[in-house]
Amino acid sequence: MQSSAALDGKDFHHPYQPYDIQIEFMKAVYECIEEGKVGIFESPTDQDEPAWMLEHAREQKRQNAFRRKADTEARLAQIRAREQRQRERYANGEPASKKLKAEHDGNDVDGDDDTRFMLDDYESDGEHSTENRKATAAGLSVETQALMKKLGIELQKPKEDDADVEDEVKIFYCSRTHSQLTQFVNELRRVKIPPALETAVSDKEEAIEVTLVTEELKHVSLGSRKNLCINSKVAKLAGATAVNERCLELQQPDTPKDCKCPYLPTKENETLVNDFRDHTLARIRDIEDLGTLGKRLGICPYYASRSVIKPSEIVTLPYPLLLQRPAREALDLSLKDHVVIIDEAHNLMDAISNIHSISVSLSQLQRSRAQLGIYLQKFRNRLKGKNRVYVTQIVRLLDSLAGFLEAKKKEERGEMEGIVEDGDLMKGKGVDQINLYKLMAYLQTSKLARKVEGYIQYTTDPDGLSARSHQKGPPVEAAVPVLTHIQGFLLALTHPSAEGKIFFTKDEMEGISLKYMLLDPTHHFREIVEDARAVILAGGTMSPMNDYITQLFNYIPSARLKTVSCGHVIPTENLLAFPVSRGPSGVDFEFTFEKRNNNFMIDELGHAFIELCQKIPDGVVIFFPSYAYLDRVVQRWKMAKHGGATIYAALSQLKPIFLDDPHISTSPPNPKLTSNATSSPPTDSTLTRYTRTILSPTPTTAPHRGALLLSVISGRMSEGINFSDALARAVIVVGLPFPNPHASGIRAKLDFLAHDRPVSSPANSSHSFPQETKDTREIKRQALENMAMRAVNQSIGRAIRHRGDYAVVLLFDARYARGSIEGKLPGWIRRGLVRWGGGGGGGVDGDGHGAGQGKRGFGDVVRGVEGFFVGR
């Protein structure tokens, strides 16, 4: 282990000359990895991430390389020999017997009738049977498991050939979206690191020293079928689940050979998989590059990319592939003794909860029950043994769930949502005797959902189904089997009750539904933490950090936890932050749920913005608590007066206004609709027009007039978009986006956090919670504040993206002057925060308690902003 002093002279191979803050950050992360800790890192600059990650991986590689150098050549010889045999087999083509068998199988299928939808005999009912264990643990179809075996990827134990591939020390780098991962890959290409070993040995064992300037990094990007599918007939289907279903359908044994996906890896084209592996490792590629490579080689990049994982040094992947155990098992990802880095980790807990939460509507339950009824009318007398037992159980379970929702729908009290006890869902005849674990294993192994959906389509249009299954032209887009979706909800019912809770919700558009909500993300992330050598959560705005410790790492000794909040690379004079407690006329700003619709306060807010926009050059981005409140404010400003014009018109004269509309698709605008005055362009077009207005003004536009963007905290403009330089010389936040504490889901989450156990309620009341105490109320208050401030901090972080950037941050609400709220702002914002002295209005002074805006008025804020931009 290297001490901090030993790292002082360490070269992290940063592509540029790093700033002091970046050096300290890299040293802190390196130490965290070296010591095998769990780290939470907040740093508003992220361009230096690849350097410190790779240096540690290369250090480990140097240490391990010398220990295994003796058998390297023998292993490589075996690999070369095996791959040569594969090339010869591929060049010679398929055996004639296999071709005849495939043609014979295909002809059989063409002649089949509805018997293709019959269930295979099912007798594997033992709780410890291998098939049940695989189906339950991995959640994988038989087809996928068979294909994994062809590629040498086993769920239970590796094949002997796997020993030929060294499992390199790896960095698993995870982020929320592929666009964010692509940004990381672009930064990775800039890094040039010397080779781990400085000599190379020839094939004839002659020691020839070769001096290498750099060594190519070995990297692979992983993605879903939706991201990587190169079969045009499948890739165009709507939604990832539809693509998954179609892909699996094409792998079924009863699909004729000439109708199967031509890109699937087989034993005969395994040499293409090897070529794909070699080309992928030859240079750094992003997810789009892998798709292009797969098309060029004629091999599926989704499956072929598995062969690249073990020899890679860095694996980039989105949240769902890392955070779900079935997904990791499907990819054969072993995190044992590797490093896991999660970027943009401010939303990690929400991501885990969303991934493991699911809802099902009454209409879906009724549709699935009707489909099963039609299926049983045809096949009831042909079902034998366990098939008859389990299909009957599924029917009863669907009836029980639907019956509960129908009863709730008819209740006169008309509660729109509430907590559901497990027993309330299992009141149907014999339902309480059902073993859900065995039932889930049966559903996974029997493929009942696909059989039922296929038969329904066949009865509706027999010729259409046959054509759709075997056609060579574009397939018809089929809906995902509804029973497959319900199967996910039934799986959630098997989770420990301490982890989550079930709710019913009523919606005028979607009707009544059941929703399983994960309350405790600890267990699902603990598997990752316990396997990995080190885990790093990183983000530009991770404050407040205490939530991660209490909700994700409460079982980890404090000695293994490390938290770091770095400053910004900008000079202190490049940032100015104000809590704004009152407006130009002295009206107090307190945008609580009860007060925020006050017209006087909304008008005062508009007058304040008019004064500020006269002092702020270029772009101004304003974030509101919700889309509904943004609409309310805009409508009021279009009626309220400022001088001889409305507030909205006065603002528009100063800076053109652009609105973020949540109802607009992000797809390219329809040319036929662009002339419609009532239609707004999509979000990407809004950003384009906002950017163009600022950066490419017309000759008649006043210098630095800029534009005004009205958006929403936690909205589509608040994450993943950088408003650097002139795009945001000011970021303004209006109010605090507290979630509704009376919503059942939020109440359940708060109660879980306060009592460290799942909520429970009497059978006659779905809204009953454990008795409140002073301590539990404080825990809930802190939790609500943390939820709000995490969203606020993410919005603030959209501005000031590099050392030469500068901006003002204005927080419009008296509550921002409170010490408890200020303490949850990022450290780099707090260092630029103006604290008014002099008593009066709450807030913060030098002691962390006191004055906020105090006796100072809004005029002091305007003068401070004006002075900030003088000379810039």
Side-chain angles (χ1 to χ4, degrees):
M1 183 184 305
Q2 300 188 46
S3 65
S4 179
L7 292 175
D8 285 343
K10 193 164 191 66
D11 183 3
F12 290 98
H13 310 289
H14 198 286
Y16 308 110
Q17 179 59 45
Y19 304 117
D20 292 342
I21 289 175
Q22 292 175 318
I23 293 174
E24 293 304 314
F25 179 80
M26 290 187 285
K27 287 167 57 178
V29 174
Y30 191 96
E31 288 178 0
C32 187
I33 297 175
E34 184 76 3
E35 296 168 4
K37 291 186 175 182
V38 173
I40 306 171
F41 288 79
E42 179 179 68
S43 174
T45 56
D46 53 9
Q47 287 87 351
D48 55 334
E49 286 167 340
W52 48 257
M53 295 191 314
L54 291 172
E55 178 58 24
H56 185 273
R58 285 300 168 91
E59 181 66 28
Q60 292 294 309
K61 183 178 179 180
R62 280 191 287 270
Q63 296 174 10
N64 294 336
F66 292 104
R67 289 195 291 265
R68 64 174 187 254
K69 190 174 181 180
D71 61 283
T72 296
E73 285 304 311
R75 187 180 67 255
L76 290 177
Q78 294 175 2
I79 294 174
R80 294 188 191 103
R82 186 175 69 249
E83 292 186 357
Q84 178 61 33
R85 292 192 298 270
Q86 292 168 354
R87 282 190 290 270
E88 292 172 354
R89 184 166 62 245
Y90 181 68
N92 294 332
E94 290 183 316
S97 60
K98 180 170 289 191
K99 291 181 181 179
L100 290 173
K101 183 178 184 301
E103 292 171 0
H104 178 70
D105 290 344
N107 291 333
D108 284 347
V109 172
D110 289 335
D112 273 350
D113 54 13
D114 54 22
T115 57
R116 79 185 79 165
F117 305 111
M118 272 288 294
L119 292 168
D120 298 330
D121 290 341
Y122 183 84
E123 299 296 339
S124 299
D125 198 30
E127 293 184 4
H128 303 290
S129 68
T130 302
E131 290 302 317
N132 280 3
R133 185 169 64 251
K134 285 185 179 181
T136 303
L140 297 176
S141 68
V142 175
E143 292 89 351
T144 299
Q145 293 180 37
L147 187 57
M148 294 301 186
K149 284 185 178 180
K150 290 181 180 180
L151 293 175
I153 300 175
E154 292 280 359
L155 290 174
Q156 299 300 313
K157 61 180 181 179
K159 294 175 67 176
E160 292 182 4
D161 287 348
D162 288 346
D164 293 335
V165 182
E166 287 291 342
D167 194 6
E168 295 280 0
V169 176
K170 251 179 283 298
I171 303 287
F172 287 95
Y173 184 90
C174 178
S175 194
R176 189 170 57 90
T177 65
H178 280 292
S179 61
Q180 291 169 335
L181 292 173
T182 298
Q183 293 176 15
F184 168 79
V185 170
N186 289 335
E187 293 298 326
L188 198 61
R189 290 176 175 136
R190 302 175 186 268
V191 180
K192 304 298 180 184
I193 294 185
L197 300 176
E198 297 183 357
T199 61
V201 180
S202 70
D203 291 340
K204 296 182 179 181
E205 299 183 356
E206 296 177 359
I208 304 176
E209 293 191 1
V210 180
T211 301
L212 300 178
V213 178
T214 61
E215 179 180 340
E216 287 295 335
L217 305 173
K218 292 184 290 185
H219 161 265
V220 63
S221 295
L222 299 180
S224 64
R225 287 184 178 90
K226 182 65 177 175
N227 296 117
L228 290 171
C229 180
I230 59 173
N231 187 328
S232 59
K233 301 175 184 178
V234 178
K236 71 177 184 180
L237 296 177
T241 309
V243 172
N244 291 342
E245 287 294 319
R246 182 61 175 162
C247 177
L248 295 176
E249 180 184 341
L250 294 178
Q251 299 175 44
Q252 293 191 46
D254 58 359
T255 302
K257 178 178 175 58
D258 60 348
C259 295
K260 289 181 179 290
C261 179
Y263 305 108
L264 282 174
T266 64
K267 280 291 184 184
E268 285 66 43
N269 65 9
E270 193 170 358
T271 183
L272 295 180
V273 175
N274 296 332
D275 288 344
F276 181 91
R277 176 202 63 203
D278 296 340
H279 281 81
T280 301
L281 294 175
R283 65 181 181 86
I284 297 174
R285 301 174 185 266
D286 60 22
I287 198 75
E288 293 183 359
D289 294 332
L290 292 190
T292 302
L293 177 62
K295 289 180 180 179
R296 180 159 61 86
L297 295 178
I299 194 70
C300 173
Y302 173 74
Y303 285 109
S305 60
R306 277 113 177 102
S307 65
V308 194
I309 295 175
K310 282 197 172 182
S312 294
E313 295 171 306
I314 295 184
V315 178
T316 54
L317 67 171
Y319 277 179
L321 297 186
L322 177 73
L323 299 180
Q324 297 181 94
R325 179 160 56 93
R328 296 196 302 272
E329 291 174 343
L331 295 169
D332 194 30
L333 287 185
S334 171
L335 306 179
K336 189 68 174 176
D337 297 328
H338 298 304
V339 178
V340 174
I341 296 172
I342 300 180
D343 196 12
E344 298 293 332
H346 62 276
N347 54 18
L348 175 62
M349 289 179 292
D350 290 339
I352 297 173
S353 178
N354 292 337
I355 285 173
H356 295 91
S357 298
I358 188 172
S359 62
V360 59
S361 67
L362 175 60
S363 62
Q364 288 175 318
L365 291 168
Q366 291 171 333
R367 186 163 70 252
S368 181
R369 176 62 179 86
Q371 290 179 351
L372 266 175
I374 296 172
Y375 182 83
L376 288 174
Q377 286 179 1
K378 178 67 178 179
F379 298 104
R380 186 189 305 274
N381 295 331
R382 304 191 216 179
L383 296 179
K384 300 177 182 179
K386 296 298 181 181
N387 278 327
R388 179 182 291 271
V389 172
Y390 283 121
V391 172
T392 301
Q393 289 183 358
I394 293 167
V395 170
R396 289 179 175 176
L397 188 54
L398 291 177
D399 286 342
S400 184
L401 296 176
F404 172 83
L405 288 179
E406 288 172 343
K408 280 292 180 183
K409 187 178 181 180
K410 296 176 182 178
E411 286 183 353
E412 294 182 1
R413 285 192 305 167
E415 289 181 316
M416 297 304 293
E417 61 179 7
I419 297 174
V420 179
E421 295 301 319
D422 295 345
D424 294 340
L425 300 177
M426 311 291 282
K427 289 184 177 180
K429 180 181 178 181
V431 175
D432 59 341
Q433 301 300 315
I434 294 176
N435 185 324
L436 286 176
Y437 294 96
K438 289 185 177 181
L439 184 60
M440 293 308 302
Y442 170 78
L443 286 170
Q444 187 66 50
T445 304
S446 68
K447 301 175 297 212
L448 175 66
R450 209 172 299 144
K451 298 274 188 180
V452 171
E453 186 77 12
Y455 179 69
I456 297 301
Q457 293 176 356
Y458 172 78
T459 57
T460 304
D461 181 13
D463 295 333
L465 178 67
S466 177
R468 178 168 55 254
S469 298
H470 304 157
Q471 69 185 346
K472 296 183 179 180
V476 178
E477 284 195 20
V480 176
V482 64
L483 186 55
T484 300
H485 178 76
I486 294 174
Q487 186 175 328
F489 180 80
L490 298 180
L491 179 62
L493 297 181
T494 66
H495 296 166
S497 59
E499 288 185 6
K501 202 66 181 175
I502 302 171
F503 306 87
F504 75 87
T505 59
K506 296 179 182 178
D507 184 272
E508 293 182 0
M509 298 293 294
E510 300 179 3
I512 188 168
S513 303
L514 287 169
K515 178 179 181 180
Y516 172 82
M517 176 181 174
L518 182 71
L519 299 176
D520 183 8
T522 305
H523 170 73
H524 295 279
F525 198 64
R526 184 170 185 167
E527 299 172 340
I528 295 174
V529 174
E530 291 182 341
D531 272 354
R533 171 193 176 96
V535 175
I536 304 293
L537 307 188
T541 50
M542 296 293 290
S543 298
M545 293 187 182
N546 188 58
D547 276 0
Y548 304 97
I549 298 173
T550 58
Q551 296 182 42
L552 282 181
F553 307 125
N554 55 11
Y555 59 92
I556 294 180
S558 58
R560 199 192 166 198
L561 284 171
K562 186 182 186 73
T563 60
V564 176
S565 180
C566 293
H568 210 294
V569 297
I570 61 170
T572 55
E573 62 268 19
N574 281 24
L575 170 67
L576 183 67
F578 282 102
V580 184
S581 301
R582 59 176 61 93
S585 302
V587 175
D588 289 335
F589 288 136
E590 191 167 354
F591 295 92
T592 61
F593 184 78
E594 296 78 13
K595 299 179 180 180
R596 65 185 184 183
N597 287 317
N598 182 291
N599 285 337
F600 292 106
M601 190 167 64
I602 295 176
D603 294 349
E604 187 81 347
L605 183 67
H607 299 318
F609 288 166
I610 290 172
E611 288 197 36
L612 288 168
C613 284
Q614 297 177 60
K615 309 298 182 184
I616 301 172
D618 302 317
V620 176
V621 182
I622 304 177
F623 291 101
F624 289 82
S626 67
Y627 284 105
Y629 190 60
L630 172 58
D631 291 341
R632 168 78 174 86
V633 170
V634 169
Q635 292 304 315
R636 175 61 189 174
W637 284 352
K638 288 182 177 180
M639 295 186 296
K641 296 293 184 178
H642 180 87
T646 64
I647 292 176
Y648 192 86
L651 276 172
S652 299
Q653 290 175 1
L654 292 170
K655 294 180 183 292
I657 298 176
F658 296 86
L659 292 173
D660 177 16
D661 190 335
H663 305 296
I664 299 171
S665 169
T666 55
S667 60
N670 186 337
K672 297 179 181 180
L673 299 178
T674 54
S675 60
N676 188 342
T678 62
S679 300
S680 299
T683 295
D684 50 1
S685 178
T686 300
L687 283 174
T688 300
R689 292 186 302 119
Y690 172 77
T691 302
R692 184 169 57 244
T693 301
I694 295 172
L695 302 183
S696 303
T698 63
T700 59
T701 302
H704 302 290
R705 183 191 183 198
L708 188 63
L709 179 62
L710 307 183
S711 188
V712 171
I713 301 169
S714 297
R716 297 186 296 177
M717 303 285 190
S718 65
E719 290 193 40
I721 298 174
N722 297 335
F723 295 102
S724 60
D725 299 315
L727 295 182
R729 289 306 180 199
V731 171
I732 299 175
V733 179
V734 177
L736 281 159
F738 281 101
N740 180 6
H742 304 295
S744 292
I746 297 297
R747 292 188 68 188
K749 181 68 174 181
L750 294 176
D751 191 78
F752 177 85
L753 296 175
H755 299 272
D756 197 25
R757 59 183 177 87
V759 294
S760 60
S761 60
N764 61 353
S765 174
S766 61
H767 288 288
S768 178
F769 290 85
Q771 184 175 0
E772 293 289 342
T773 65
K774 183 178 179 181
D775 289 341
T776 58
R777 284 193 294 270
E778 176 61 19
I779 292 173
K780 292 181 179 182
R781 186 188 68 80
Q782 291 285 345
L784 285 171
E785 280 188 0
N786 290 350
M787 293 178 193
M789 289 306 297
R790 192 175 299 114
V792 168
N793 292 340
Q794 187 63 18
S795 297
I796 292 173
R798 298 308 88 212
I800 310 184
R801 309 303 298 180
H802 59 85
R803 182 174 178 82
D805 208 351
Y806 58 92
V808 296
V809 175
L810 302 174
L811 307 173
F812 273 72
D813 198 301
R815 291 171 292 178
Y816 284 111
R818 297 175 184 172
S820 62
I821 297 294
E822 190 218 346
K824 293 171 182 175
L825 289 166
W828 61 276
I829 291 290
R830 292 199 305 271
R831 283 187 278 272
L833 194 67
V834 174
R835 297 169 175 84
W836 305 106
V844 182
D845 59 17
D847 297 326
H849 307 281
Q853 200 170 322
K855 294 181 179 179
R856 307 260 183 169
F858 182 74
D860 295 295
V861 176
V862 175
R863 284 188 289 273
V865 170
E866 182 179 24
F868 177 80
F869 288 107
V870 170
R872 293 185 186 271

